Amino acid sequence: MSEAVLLIGTKKGLWIGRSDAARKDWQLDGPVPEFEMQGVYAVGIDTRGDRPRLFVGGTSEHWGPAVFHSDDLGKSWAEPPEGSIGFPEDADASLERVWQIQPGPPGQPGVVYAGSEPQALWKSTDGGVTFELVRGLWDHPHRSEWGAGFGGAAIHTVVPHPTDPDRVSVAMSTGGVYRTADGGATWSPANQGIQAKFFPDPYPEFGQCVHKLAAHPDAPERLFAQNHHGVYRSDDGGAVWTSIADGLPSDFGFPIVVHPHEPETVYVFPLVADANRIPTGAQCRVFRSRDAGATWEPLAAGLPDVSYVPVLRDAMSTDTADPAGVYVGTRDGCVYASPDAGDGWVEVARHLPDVLTVRAAVVG
Amino acid sequence: MIGVRLPTVLRPFAGGAERVEVEARSVAEAFAALDAPLRRRLTDEQGAIRRHVNIYLGDDNIRDLDGLGTPLDDGDELLILPSVAGG
């Protein structure tokens, strides 16, 4: 019997939405006791194995960060005694928080990536139980020049190539997009064409404030990026970027996601501007493009007509069911689910703490 | 033996215990003797006491003594308290 599970990470804990495969009627569990009062910046669902594995990266302001996993859909949570993730002694750094937990492609069982603050990439080869620092990026000569966005100096997005295990792209605020083609040994910035209005040179090699990066596994050379002002597409794996913001009411926002089955369908949540971070038109509207960013349409059915709160960078996601589900969580603690690729939306939760991250899957 | 008294929120990492006992001659040794899941919540991976964790020996915050190097005598009690932080 298939069921849907929706992990909702908030500034003060984890909630779990549960539904049948139709994804129209949701029950909400939470706050989950293990993560009470923790900032849950990263959640993940790995559907590759015999049974789905859930991940939660939470940070207690008192007791520090930790990554837990669950193999029973969130009924119980585990971590190894020495913890899942932490800097080695010679790195001379301490983990502040985990911002991203990204299971690898189907052809790389056991591989799970994590992105953290301070800006580091981590790789697990044991299914996400333990993570190791990716030294090539940590030792990058640019690292001392990467800045901290308002949210913190973090690698917040990891996009593994779907078939080539040596190729991975990451995004950080601020620093921009970096990619490796040799399994993480060496990394190059990939920001040509992306504007950084906050520098004297608005087109630097690196230093851009990319808010989110996304790609579809069937079109791995095509990347989408929502930047701190600027929505972009690259058709050559990140070498060159071009704006796709013309059809949007604003080029500012945080999340960007791609439809799981349609490589040209992409979703964003525009905000008015850097200096006015409320939804355009003061309405809660997801914008969808079905032509890789050439044209955009607002999605409204079931979403509030009045809203003054953003959707943060990791608080939009899709599942891989058919029809595809799309999920958004807002800073006023509402979560909306669309079981039909954005055509209509239902409310899953309201009045939660700020929603930081959402991930969903139909399992079983 | 050194007693280490835990706030409620940390007791799940000590099998539910309100107080644990360790053999130690300094705060650092006391922490090293704790189970890893509990120890990791008091110190980061480089061994530093977490910013918003306070550890008292009697009425003194060990930060005002010799930090992790603070010597302990048999029968001493350490009290772990979260600082007032956050919103």
Side-chain angles (χ1 to χ4, degrees):
Chain A
M1 183 72 178
S2 291
E3 61 179 304
V5 59
L6 167 58
L7 301 181
I8 303 166
T10 80
K11 203 164 183 180
K12 293 185 181 179
L14 175 76
W15 277 258
I16 304 177
R18 301 184 192 277
S19 172
D20 59 18
R23 295 158 291 162
K24 289 177 180 168
D25 297 307
W26 292 84
Q27 305 295 317
L28 195 63
D29 292 346
V32 176
E34 285 86 347
F35 308 104
E36 275 178 9
M37 275 300 284
Q38 294 188 29
V40 177
Y41 278 66
V43 294
I45 305 177
D46 187 351
T47 57
R48 294 171 299 171
D50 296 339
R51 55 186 174 186
R53 172 167 282 181
L54 312 184
F55 296 100
V56 169
T59 296
S60 161
E61 293 302 321
H62 290 106
W63 318 115
V67 172
F68 282 76
H69 63 271
S70 170
D71 291 335
D72 55 12
L73 292 180
K75 295 182 184 68
S76 64
W77 297 88
E79 63 163 359
E82 291 292 343
S84 289
I85 185 167
F87 282 97
E89 192 174 349
D90 67 340
D92 194 27
S94 301
L95 190 69
E96 291 288 329
R97 64 176 93 250
V98 172
W99 280 70
Q100 188 84 151
I101 301 169
Q102 176 62 55
Q108 299 169 48
V111 171
V112 181
Y113 289 96
S116 75
E117 174 185 352
Q119 287 145 327
L121 176 67
W122 307 78
K123 184 177 183 180
S124 170
T125 55
D126 61 4
V129 177
T130 59
F131 291 84
E132 284 195 17
L133 179 65
V134 175
R135 293 276 186 170
L137 190 57
W138 180 252
D139 294 335
H140 199 286
H142 291 173
R143 186 165 67 84
S144 63
E145 298 178 62
W146 296 337
F150 187 68
I155 287 183
H156 52 66
T157 310
V158 185
V159 180
H161 190 281
T163 55
D164 184 347
D166 286 340
R167 292 178 61 188
V168 180
S169 300
V170 300
M172 64 183 94
S173 302
T174 61
V177 177
Y178 279 70
R179 54 186 180 159
T180 181
D182 57 10
T186 61
W187 294 80
S188 303
N191 302 290
Q192 188 180 332
I194 296 184
Q195 200 170 21
K197 290 180 179 175
F198 41 89
F199 288 132
D201 170 8
Y203 289 98
E205 180 189 19
F206 64 94
Q208 281 82 353
C209 188
V210 54
H211 286 171
K212 203 66 195 174
L213 184 68
H216 191 282
D218 292 345
E221 303 308 318
R222 173 174 289 157
L223 296 171
F224 296 96
Q226 168 71 65
N227 273 58
H228 192 104
H229 282 302
V231 185
Y232 294 92
R233 189 183 82 216
S234 170
D235 294 321
D236 53 14
V240 178
W241 297 85
T242 55
S243 174
I244 54 170
D246 280 354
L248 287 166
S250 167
D251 66 355
F252 191 86
F254 288 95
I256 189 164
V257 301
V258 183
H259 189 290
H261 312 303
E262 300 171 12
E264 302 212 325
T265 299
V266 57
Y267 303 85
V268 295
F269 192 91
L271 306 177
V272 174
D274 173 22
N276 189 11
R277 299 182 185 190
I278 65 171
T280 54
Q283 295 181 307
C284 182
R285 295 290 182 265
V286 174
F287 279 69
R288 178 175 63 191
S289 172
R290 302 202 109 142
D291 50 17
T295 61
W296 296 88
E297 59 177 327
L299 305 175
L303 294 175
D305 287 333
V306 177
S307 176
Y308 299 99
V309 287
V311 171
L312 293 175
R313 75 184 79 232
D314 211 51
M316 181 187 289
S317 68
T318 65
D319 59 31
T320 58
D322 190 13
V326 188
Y327 305 83
V328 294
T330 64
R331 288 205 69 182
D332 63 350
C334 296
V335 179
Y336 304 98
S338 170
D340 49 15
D343 291 340
W345 299 79
V346 295
E347 183 184 273
V348 177
R350 66 168 72 171
H351 303 320
L352 302 182
D354 304 38
V355 178
L356 303 173
T357 179
V358 294
R359 289 292 185 278
V362 176
V363 297
Chain B
M1 296 294 275
I2 306 297
V4 181
R5 290 161 57 197
L6 303 173
T8 307
V9 67
L10 288 184
R11 292 174 195 167
F13 301 105
E18 184 178 339
R19 180 178 176 278
V20 296
E21 290 192 339
V22 292
E23 290 278 6
R25 299 175 61 83
S26 69
V27 174
E29 286 185 20
F31 281 12
L34 296 172
D35 287 345
L38 177 58
R39 186 195 72 238
R40 290 191 293 108
R41 280 152 179 99
L42 305 178
T43 57
D44 67 24
E45 63 265 52
Q46 305 301 348
I49 299 168
R50 295 194 181 280
R51 192 180 316 141
H52 298 302
V53 174
N54 288 327
I55 298 139
Y56 287 90
L57 175 60
D59 290 334
D60 295 318
N61 189 320
I62 65 158
R63 285 192 177 88
D64 301 325
L65 301 173
D66 195 19
L68 288 166
T70 302
L72 299 175
D73 292 322
D74 194 38
D76 278 346
E77 292 277 319
L78 293 173
L79 174 62
I80 310 238
L81 290 175
S83 68
V84 178

